[in-house]
Structures are given as structure tokens and as C-alpha cells.
């Protein structure tokens, strides 16, 4: 084996795979630190010590201290998207069942591992840059809700109204979940999911119903 090949592979693991493993270890360590000690305690030295890595490996994956938090928020958002997509694909095709399945799946990602809720909903608001990133994530989920709503109810409803209700719903869900996690909403997990489902269905069915009522029947 030549020198280049040796650099690429060590113990049967390629250099790219080792780099990916180190990145995952840093993200997992960041999740632990943020949940246990708070975002302010997240330092490069502490993070690398927690991950069992030399500090130089941090900058292999991230350009600045908040880089690991940004990547962590992205990873949680990807998990949420995948869980919601799976739930929608397997739920019965009526508005209430679809909404309940999607909301249950999303909330499960955050509550089955409370560290993720803490990172996504609390650490994600820690700095102006992270708040801006969280706002972009909320808009991305609003676009997902709008697309699903358009597909479910039909594409004839004015898009600006669909977009408004989608951002209203996702923003409200985020605030409700944050308040509930803080212990300021006296609801069980299932009651929370049911109430959020009710709001999603009411606003979706209402918009579709208003449009149908305002649309003249075909001649």
C-alpha cells in the first residue's frame, strides 16, 4: 500500500469516514453540553474534551464557535423533516389524521430526547445569528406545511393566504411547544398534540371551505 492509500484508509476506515465520525462526535457532545450546562458553557476546549478529540479537529468541521450549534440545529431540523414526512406517508388521507400524525411525529423527535428540544427551542435563540437561523428554519417548515396543505386541499386557494396561515401555524406551534416545555401550559403531551391538531385542521378546513364557497360552480 502506498503513502497516499495509507492516508486514505486506516483500520479499514477512510479519511472521509473518520472525519464524518469526528463531526458526529462533536455534534453529540454539543447536544450534551447545551442540555446539561447551557449554551454559554459551550467552548471549543470543553466540547473537544467531551468528544475525546484534539481541538484541531473542531476547525476541521466548523469555522467558529457557533458553527457546531448551527450544524446541530440543522441536524435536528432534518430529523424533524424526515419524521414528519414518514408520518404523512403512512397516515390515513383525511385532514385530522394527517395533521395529528405529523404533529405527533415532530413533537416526538423533540420530547423523546429532551436535549433536542432544549437545543432547538432555547439554544437556537441564544444569539442574533442563531435566532436568524431559527427564523429561517421556521419559514422552511411553514413552506412544508403550505405545500402539504396545497396538495391536500387542492391548488386553487390563493397562495398568499396559504403562506400566511402556514407561517402563523408553525410560529404558533413553536411558541406553544416552548411554553409547554417550560411548564407554563397545563396540558398533557397528548392534550397538547390534540389542541395543536385542532388549530391546524380548523385553519386548513376553514380556508379551503371559504375558497370553495367563493368559487362559482362550473357552467
Amino acid at each position: 500500500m502506498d503513502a497516499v492509500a495509507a492516508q486514505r484508509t486506516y483500520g479499514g476506515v477512510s479519511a472521509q469516514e473518520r472525519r464524518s465520525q469526528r463531526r458526529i462526535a462533536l455534534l453529540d457532545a454539543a447536544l450534551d453540553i447545551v442540555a446539561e450546562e447551557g449554551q454559554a458553557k459551550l467552548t471549543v476546549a470543553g466540547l473537544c474534551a467531551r468528544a475525546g478529540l484534539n481541538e484541531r479537529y473542531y476547525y476541521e468541521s466548523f469555522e467558529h464557535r457557533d458553527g457546531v450549534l448551527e450544524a446541530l440545529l440543522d441536524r435536528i431540523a432534518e430529523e424533524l423533516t424526515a419524521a414528519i414526512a414518514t408520518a404523512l406517508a403512512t397516515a390515513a388521507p383525511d385532514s385530522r389524521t394527517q395533521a395529528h400524525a405529523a404533529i405527533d411525529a415532530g413533537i416526538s423527535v423533540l420530547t423523546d430526547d429532551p436535549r433536542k428540544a432544549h437545543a432547538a427551542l432555547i439554544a437556537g435563540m441564544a444569539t442574533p445569528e442563531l435566532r436568524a437561523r431559527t427564523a429561517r428554519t421556521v419559514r422552511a417548515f411553514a413552506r412544508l406545511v403550505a405545500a402539504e396543505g396545497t396538495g391536500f386541499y387542492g391548488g386553487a386557494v390563493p397562495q398568499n393566504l396559504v403562506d400566511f396561515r402556514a407561517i402563523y401555524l408553525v410560529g404558533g406551534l413553536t411558541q406553544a411547544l416552548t411554553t409547554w416545555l417550560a411548564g407554563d401550559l397545563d396540558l398533557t403531551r397528548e392534550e397538547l398534540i390534540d389542541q395543536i391538531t385542532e388549530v391546524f385542521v380548523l385553519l386548513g378546513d376553514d380556508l379551503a371551505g371559504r375558497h370553495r364557497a367563493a368559487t362559482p360552480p362550473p357552467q
Side-chain angles (χ1 to χ4, degrees):
M1 180 181 293
D2 60 25
V4 174
Q7 184 179 8
R8 290 176 181 166
T9 305
Y10 181 80
V13 181
S14 71
Q16 183 58 42
E17 288 171 327
R18 292 197 302 276
R19 178 173 177 170
S20 177
Q21 290 169 357
R22 288 191 292 266
R23 190 176 190 274
I24 291 170
L26 288 167
L27 289 171
D28 290 342
L31 191 59
D32 285 337
I33 292 171
V34 169
E36 295 170 12
E37 304 177 53
Q39 182 267 343
K41 297 294 185 180
L42 187 63
T43 64
V44 172
L47 178 64
C48 291
R50 185 71 172 250
L53 294 170
N54 187 292
E55 286 185 38
R56 69 184 176 88
Y57 288 122
Y58 179 88
Y59 296 101
E60 172 186 67
S61 295
F62 311 109
E63 294 182 358
H64 49 82
R65 195 193 74 162
D66 282 347
V68 69
L69 272 176
E70 292 171 357
L72 182 59
L73 293 175
D74 288 346
R75 187 172 78 170
I76 294 169
E78 290 167 3
E79 289 182 44
L80 286 167
T81 301
I84 291 168
T86 298
L88 288 171
T90 55
D94 64 89
S95 60
R96 189 172 302 279
T97 303
Q98 288 267 305
H100 189 281
I103 293 161
D104 188 11
I107 288 178
S108 292
V109 168
L110 298 177
T111 57
D112 289 351
D113 185 349
R115 299 175 305 163
K116 295 175 183 176
H118 189 93
L121 300 174
I122 299 174
M125 303 302 289
T127 68
E129 293 77 15
L130 290 171
R131 287 195 292 274
R133 197 177 196 87
T134 298
R136 290 195 297 271
T137 300
V138 168
R139 290 194 296 272
F141 277 104
R143 288 193 294 272
L144 174 62
V145 169
E148 291 294 333
T150 298
F152 184 84
Y153 291 109
V157 178
Q159 191 62 45
N160 63 329
L161 300 182
V162 174
D163 293 341
F164 168 77
R165 295 205 179 197
I167 194 69
Y168 184 87
L169 286 167
V170 175
L173 186 158
T174 301
Q175 186 59 50
L177 184 55
T178 301
T179 304
W180 180 75
L181 288 167
D184 294 329
L185 271 180
D186 185 20
L187 296 171
T188 66
R189 179 182 176 279
E190 282 307 317
E191 287 172 339
L192 177 72
I193 292 170
D194 286 345
Q195 289 303 309
I196 295 172
T197 298
E198 195 69 27
V199 174
F200 268 63
V201 172
L202 283 172
L203 288 184
D205 287 357
D206 172 75
L207 182 58
R210 285 171 183 269
H211 179 73
R212 283 193 295 267
T215 303
Q219 299 299 317

